[in-house]
Amino acid sequence: MSGLDIFTISTVVAALAVINTVALIMVWRINPTVPGLGTWSLSQCLHISAWLLSVAVIQGSLQGPIYTLVNNSLNLASMILLFEGAMRFRGFGHQATRRWLILAGIAMAVGISILNKEAIIRRYIWHDSICMVMLIAAAVTMMWRTAPHERIVHGMAAGFFAAMAGAAAWRWSVAVMLPEGEAFPYRTLNVSVFTLVALCGLGWVYGVMLSVNMRVRQQVLAVSQIDPLTGLANRRQLESAMMRALARQRRGAGAFGIAYFDLDRFKSINDRYGHTGGDAVLVTVAERLCDFLRDSDNVARIGGDEFVVLFSKLATGNDLDRACARLRQAVEGPMVLGDDVEDVRISLGAALAPRDGQNIDTLLNHADQAMYEDKRRRRAERQPEDGAHIIPFPPPDEKGRPRGAAFN
């Protein structure tokens, strides 16, 4: 291969590396909250610096062991950070522990580069061994316990990590099996390896782009199904859960029920304490619901002070009645608001599928009507009240805090 060919290929490879780095940095700046992208961007900046330095050394523009030392240190540090980025992206490990391990790894890489700066064969054996380990570790991290819908996009990045490790393994095998006294094919082999790594680098960055896009879409979808105040599901997610429950019920999974309730005198709480107080009450009710529910149940805030609980695995209407009684007991009770204590009460209605309906609207309407019947009955049993209902301040809990405190 002529000098012109090597120069042309080196220039193209360097251009690909720059494009790869710029693309990754742009993805990071567009999605700064996605873990791992910043670390990957730093890895690629170190990698492109080492790459350009390697091209200069191959062309003879720079000579001397100091440039080789810097090049190898940058390259090995970039491989370590690439693995760290994969760990961050997948959310594995403890960040503080990983930080010390990464620093120790980079220090070790620099030490190895210093010891092998003038020994070509030994340098490639050590250098490519570390690169192979880091790249394979990054590939395994991307695929470890991956959800089914993520396997294709994560697998693309992991596949190119493995291909880059294969390029490093090729050069490592040449260094290991080189006959004694024979010159190492430095220029031609490195240009070939650089070309493979540059192309694979474009591939893994594209795979990362797809993975980031999928994660952002999932985050948007999750936000669209969550009530921002309480953190509970909203109406959209409740309807999805009910559709799944109805499908299971049609397949013979048994009955399920819903409890539809709102807070009595919630308007008077808002009038007395302002929207801050009303929001605090809703958040505290949501916390009580989360403490009460089983893993198989679902709860949603569907608007204002209205909540719906979906009870799975019910056999009869009596099971639903007992579940609603426990729900009322869990939610109702004193709640501290500033210097006062409100006695929070709810009006509740329920519906059992398939007894009271076999679609979402029918079940919700049945439970809604039952809730208003409960509200009318409860109003008829007590005298009309104006304003908030203040009760004596409850005794503190075992840690000395007010019981049921919503805000102070």
Side-chain angles (χ1 to χ4, degrees), residues 72-359:
N72 281 272
S73 299
L74 290 173
N75 203 9
L76 291 177
S78 74
M79 292 294 103
I80 294 172
L81 289 176
L82 189 147
F83 172 53
E84 164 69 1
M87 294 285 286
R88 287 174 180 263
F89 185 76
R90 294 302 313 283
F92 293 153
H94 191 273
Q95 184 172 347
T97 303
R98 289 201 318 267
R99 184 184 300 116
W100 288 109
L101 291 176
I102 293 303
L103 291 175
I106 292 175
M108 181 188 69
V110 172
I112 291 174
S113 299
I114 293 173
L115 292 175
N116 299 320
K117 64 182 179 180
E118 296 183 359
I120 295 178
I121 303 301
R122 192 172 64 194
R123 182 171 69 238
Y124 282 123
I125 291 175
W126 277 95
H127 178 279
D128 290 334
S129 296
I130 296 174
C131 288
M132 284 188 289
V133 170
M134 292 295 102
L135 289 166
I136 293 298
V140 172
T141 300
M142 292 298 292
M143 295 303 296
W144 185 259
R145 296 182 178 178
T146 302
H149 64 279
E150 295 178 329
R151 286 173 186 164
I152 294 178
V153 290
H154 286 5
M156 184 174 183
F160 281 107
F161 284 149
M164 292 164 67
W170 175 28
R171 190 169 61 181
W172 176 86
S173 65
V174 172
V176 169
M177 295 184 295
L178 188 70
E180 186 176 354
E182 184 175 334
F184 188 82
Y186 182 82
R187 298 181 67 180
T188 56
L189 181 59
N190 275 357
V191 169
S192 299
V193 171
F194 289 172
T195 303
L196 289 174
V197 173
L199 295 174
C200 292
L202 289 176
W204 84 258
V205 169
Y206 184 67
V208 165
M209 289 180 181
L210 295 178
S211 296
V212 170
N213 180 62
M214 174 172 287
R215 175 168 296 187
V216 171
R217 288 179 59 188
Q218 290 173 339
Q219 290 174 346
V220 171
L221 180 62
V223 169
S224 70
Q225 295 185 343
I226 295 296
D227 173 53
L229 175 63
T230 62
L232 301 178
N234 61 13
R235 179 182 285 271
R236 178 182 297 181
Q237 188 172 352
L238 171 68
E239 291 177 350
S240 298
M242 291 183 67
M243 289 178 63
R244 293 192 296 269
L246 285 167
R248 290 194 299 268
Q249 187 270 321
R250 294 188 186 103
R251 293 194 298 266
F256 70 92
I258 61 170
Y260 195 133
F261 72 89
D262 67 4
L263 308 181
D264 296 342
R265 304 183 312 276
F266 184 70
K267 183 179 182 300
S268 67
I269 291 175
N270 265 332
D271 292 341
R272 181 177 178 86
Y273 303 101
H275 290 293
T276 301
D279 290 347
V281 170
L282 294 174
V283 170
T284 303
V285 168
E287 292 172 352
R288 292 179 178 181
L289 286 169
C290 292
D291 292 338
F292 159 74
L293 291 179
R294 304 171 299 175
D295 292 339
S296 58
D297 298 333
N298 299 90
V299 59
R301 178 187 174 217
I302 62 173
D305 62 330
E306 296 182 332
F307 298 81
V308 174
V309 178
L310 189 154
F311 295 108
S312 301
K313 302 177 182 179
L314 299 178
T316 65
N318 290 333
D319 293 337
L320 178 59
D321 292 339
R322 286 191 290 269
C324 289
R326 294 194 303 271
L327 170 63
R328 188 187 295 274
Q329 184 178 13
V331 173
E332 292 186 336
M335 188 176 298
V336 177
L337 291 171
D339 296 329
D340 299 327
V341 178
E342 284 285 340
D343 188 18
V344 174
R345 300 293 169 183
I346 65 174
S347 297
L348 185 148
L352 182 70
R355 184 192 66 185
D356 300 321
Q358 299 185 31
N359 61 68

